[in-house]
Amino acid sequence: MPLQNRVNPYGEICYSDQRGTLMGNRGNLHNAQQQIVRKYQLKRWIICLLEFKGRHQKVMHPGYYTELFFLDEATGLAAGHRPCGECQYKRFKEFITLWKNANDAPGLNLAQVDAQLHLERTAKDKPLASLDDLPDGVFMEYETKPYLLYRGSIWEWSFAGYLQPQLRPHNLEVKILTPVSIVKTIAAGFTPAIHPTAI
């Protein structure tokens, strides 16, 4: 039976036998039976590489952080995670620099950036925006499903990859799934890595 450790663009932790291309961390979320018992432990939600310096450990090992998995970086960002400052140092530095510039927050430290992201991803309601104003790499909800905006099309998300694209609609107000501060960061030049099913 698959573990409950795959994250969708809404930030929900789900069951799936698909591994994904990146890993995530929100702290220790599981019990000794490998069951998810909390949505997060920390405000520092990060996106990690699947392999780093040959480190290995059993997934959902008791007492350790819960390994979460994303289809791609765009999915992890939509869920409210950001690049890890250790295994993705260059990516992390690029993201934080652009995030601070795009959000007019040059004086914030990393804990304050994480706190702002936490407010956005845990907000009760997702904000609305014109689809025409959103950059590629952002997720929005369309016909009650998560879609990625990419290359003039919208791509329906699934755990296994993106489905057949549709032409990007115009003059449409949509619910944004990617946190607004990350949307601004993407618009400022941070380009999320996209799963090859959408390339």
Side-chain angles (χ1 to χ4, degrees):
M1 179 178 176
L3 295 173
Q4 184 184 359
N5 60 4
R6 284 299 303 276
V7 180
N8 67 21
Y10 292 95
E12 299 165 337
I13 305 173
C14 309
Y15 292 94
S16 175
D17 57 3
Q18 302 292 326
R19 184 183 189 195
T21 62
L22 290 166
M23 193 177 75
N25 182 355
R26 302 178 186 176
N28 186 344
L29 314 182
H30 64 279
N31 60 20
Q33 290 73 47
Q34 297 182 314
Q35 299 167 327
I36 297 295
V37 294
R38 60 179 70 89
K39 294 180 180 179
Y40 59 87
Q41 182 188 33
L42 311 168
K43 291 184 179 179
R44 184 183 69 250
W45 293 19
I46 58 176
I47 302 171
C48 299
L49 301 176
L50 293 179
E51 298 180 12
F52 181 64
K53 293 186 176 180
R55 296 177 185 174
H56 295 282
Q57 71 180 46
K58 180 181 177 182
V59 174
M60 287 192 172
H61 188 72
Y64 286 79
Y65 72 88
T66 303
E67 298 88 348
L68 304 173
F69 296 93
F70 309 111
L71 174 68
D72 57 12
E73 188 176 39
T75 303
L77 293 171
H81 291 243
R82 55 131 175 110
C84 172
E86 184 181 9
C87 68
Q88 297 209 81
Y89 181 72
K90 289 183 179 180
R91 196 74 172 143
F92 161 77
K93 292 294 289 184
E94 179 188 6
F95 177 86
I96 293 298
T97 299
L98 286 171
W99 191 96
K100 289 182 179 182
N101 290 338
N103 290 281
D104 194 24
L108 293 190
N109 61 34
L110 185 56
Q112 291 170 319
V113 172
D114 285 333
Q116 176 59 36
L117 289 172
H118 194 68
L119 286 174
E120 294 179 41
R121 65 191 169 223
T122 57
K124 182 179 179 181
D125 297 314
K126 298 293 185 182
L128 300 175
S130 169
L131 184 54
D132 294 329
D133 294 337
L134 298 175
D136 275 7
V138 167
F139 270 92
M140 57 89 180
E141 185 179 87
Y142 181 66
E143 296 180 343
T144 72
K145 297 177 182 178
Y147 278 79
L148 173 74
L149 310 181
Y150 191 57
R151 294 185 173 178
S153 298
I154 60 172
W155 300 74
E156 184 180 345
W157 181 93
S158 78
F159 285 112
Y162 295 99
L163 307 181
Q164 187 68 29
Q166 303 178 39
L167 287 178
R168 181 170 174 155
H170 294 287
N171 302 315
L172 181 67
E173 188 175 62
V174 294
K175 183 182 296 185
I176 311 171
L177 302 185
T178 305
V180 171
S181 66
I182 296 181
V183 173
K184 293 178 180 179
T185 305
I186 293 171
F190 188 83
T191 304
I194 306 296
H195 193 267
T197 51
I199 295 175

